[in-house]
Amino acid sequence: MLIDRFGRRITYLRISVTDRCNLRCVYCLPASGVEWIAREEILRVEEIAEVVRVGVALGLTRVRLTGGEPLVREGVVELVRLLSAIPQLEDLSLTTNGVLLARRAEALARAGLRRANISLDTLLANRFSRITRFGSIGDVRAGIEAALDAGLHPVKLNVVVMRGVNDDEIVELGRLAVDRPLHVRFIELMPIGDYFARERLVPSEEILARLSALGELRPFDGPVGCGPARAYTWAGARGSVGIIGAVTQAFCARCNRLRLTATGQLRPCLDQESAVDLLPALRPAVDRERLAHLIRDAVAAKPEQHTMAQREVGSPRLCMAGVGG
Ligand code: SAM
């Protein structure tokens, strides 16, 4: 079992399978873009699977694939196949911007993917293109339908709420969970990169109050309620809404996760630059014992809490690319 210094049991690994992305969301990547990491520095699919096998033997039970954009990574379906073959891995999910999902959902589901989170910050086509800098909302909507058709369950939508940008759509986005079997997760804007400004942050209590316009909210306790989101639903609704108050309602006391970057750095906390380098245990040859030691080192290095609530400006780290947000 993996237990950190504060008694938290670590069971969840978020894996960034690539730093590359086919969108440039304003809150995630700078307009100028970033220099992508050379391919040979990115972990190979088999190397990622090895980290998960060792992690699972130590006590990890859940894995989420993210990025960058995981669906631009060649071999992502193969990776899902390798991971879903690990018997003790109880949950395998993916976070995607959905642009390529219509083409991939069926193959991913067949390879063993259970569920997906799809990022969608607006229902308005022009606004979508402004937030993502050049994405097309039609691709994402088609991706959502493909995920439902492929039997991925639950399908969650991630909405980053920004005051003056998309907060006027909270109710309309929430309504998706009334009419469709979708689980909409509203995420507080985190202080990452130079887009962040405190005025843009809409606190979770305010998001919740606005969602009450659709009727009396009742706690939702379905299979999707196990993450950091506080989840709710309405009588007769087909899905649920949830609030991830990463900044104002830090869930550090319940944090059960580690993050593996695309280059093999195991980060104890999203908010921390420091990481444990797994590469020496992966190249030139896999050393499973050393890998296990390094995973334990990362667990031991988990801080008690992040410091995002105190921050007035975004952390200097440029973007989420390769970190696995
Ligand atoms: N490309 C995939 C996607 O768009 O979902 C996966 C990677 S993305 C970094 C993972 C999640 O992090 C997305 O839901 C995105 O909206 C969220 N995210 C990125 N930057 C954020 C920020 N500054 N504050 C809150 N959420 C953020």
Side-chain angles (χ1 to χ4, degrees):
M1 224 190 270
L2 294 167
I3 311 262
D4 76 0
R5 291 176 297 148
F6 306 98
R8 296 170 296 198
R9 195 173 153 205
I10 309 307
T11 53
Y12 184 21
L13 180 64
R14 292 174 78 97
I15 302 175
S16 174
V17 298
T18 177
D19 61 319
R20 296 173 194 232
C21 192
N22 46 358
L23 297 180
R24 299 281 183 281
C25 298
V26 288
Y27 48 73
C28 188
L29 285 166
S32 55
V34 286
E35 212 165 297
W36 303 131
I37 298 167
R39 276 182 208 279
E40 59 276 14
E41 286 179 37
I42 302 288
L43 289 190
R44 290 187 283 271
V45 160
E46 184 48 52
E47 290 171 334
I48 296 175
E50 204 57 66
V51 173
V52 176
R53 286 184 201 113
V54 172
V56 164
L58 292 174
L60 296 179
T61 57
R62 302 173 57 200
V63 163
R64 173 174 297 279
L65 304 181
T66 176
E69 170 48 41
L71 299 190
V72 304
R73 169 73 199 255
E74 227 173 278
V76 71
V77 175
E78 171 63 7
L79 178 61
V80 168
R81 202 182 57 70
L82 290 175
L83 298 185
S84 65
I86 302 172
Q88 306 91 323
L89 188 64
E90 293 165 14
D91 185 34
L92 178 58
S93 60
L94 172 98
T95 300
T96 171
N97 60 33
V99 171
L100 298 173
L101 195 55
R103 278 179 245 172
R104 294 284 186 91
E106 189 62 51
L108 287 163
R110 254 187 308 185
L113 185 71
R114 309 268 178 90
R115 56 199 189 89
N117 285 26
I118 303 167
S119 298
L120 180 68
D121 300 328
T122 174
L123 296 168
L124 305 173
N126 288 343
R127 186 176 281 181
F128 181 87
S129 302
R130 269 203 307 279
I131 294 174
T132 62
R133 294 214 181 88
F134 49 74
S136 158
I137 196 170
D139 294 338
V140 181
R141 301 222 50 168
I144 294 169
E145 296 308 318
L148 291 169
D149 290 347
L152 297 180
H153 178 76
V155 174
K156 294 189 196 173
L157 303 184
N158 284 359
V159 179
V160 177
V161 182
M162 296 160 276
R163 196 181 303 285
V165 178
N166 65 347
D167 61 322
D168 56 339
E169 288 187 78
I170 290 172
V171 171
E172 281 315 303
L173 284 157
R175 203 188 297 280
L176 294 175
V178 177
D179 303 333
R180 310 288 314 274
L182 293 169
H183 301 270
V184 186
R185 297 293 175 257
F186 295 90
I187 305 173
E188 285 180 347
L189 178 68
M190 291 188 283
I192 292 163
D194 49 16
Y195 182 77
F196 180 80
R198 193 142 276 275
E199 314 81 79
R200 288 209 174 102
L201 173 71
V202 182
S204 48
E205 287 311 322
E206 184 179 336
I207 299 171
L208 207 53
R210 297 220 213 160
L211 288 168
S212 305
L214 288 166
E216 193 193 333
L217 287 162
R218 40 176 82 171
F220 178 78
D221 206 14
V224 288
C226 51
R230 288 183 295 150
Y232 303 87
T233 190
W234 301 270
R238 299 180 68 195
S240 69
V241 288
I243 317 287
I244 303 184
V247 181
T248 68
Q249 315 225 313
F251 34 84
C252 303
R254 288 180 289 128
C255 183
N256 59 357
R257 57 187 62 179
L258 294 173
R259 292 166 194 270
L260 180 63
T261 72
T263 56
Q265 307 297 306
L266 195 55
R267 280 179 187 249
C269 172
L270 169 69
D271 190 37
Q272 253 191 2
E273 287 289 332
S274 67
V276 174
D277 186 4
L278 299 188
L279 270 189
L282 290 168
R283 296 180 186 178
V286 175
D287 179 340
R288 302 189 111 212
E289 210 167 304
R290 191 163 180 199
L291 208 43
H293 275 295
L294 293 173
I295 292 172
R296 287 193 188 285
D297 286 349
V299 169
K302 265 184 87 62
E304 188 168 17
Q305 53 193 36
H306 69 61
T307 55
M308 290 196 288
Q310 290 89 49
R311 211 162 306 137
E312 289 302 321
V313 293
S315 71
R317 180 152 46 83
L318 273 180
C319 63
M320 302 278 277
V323 175

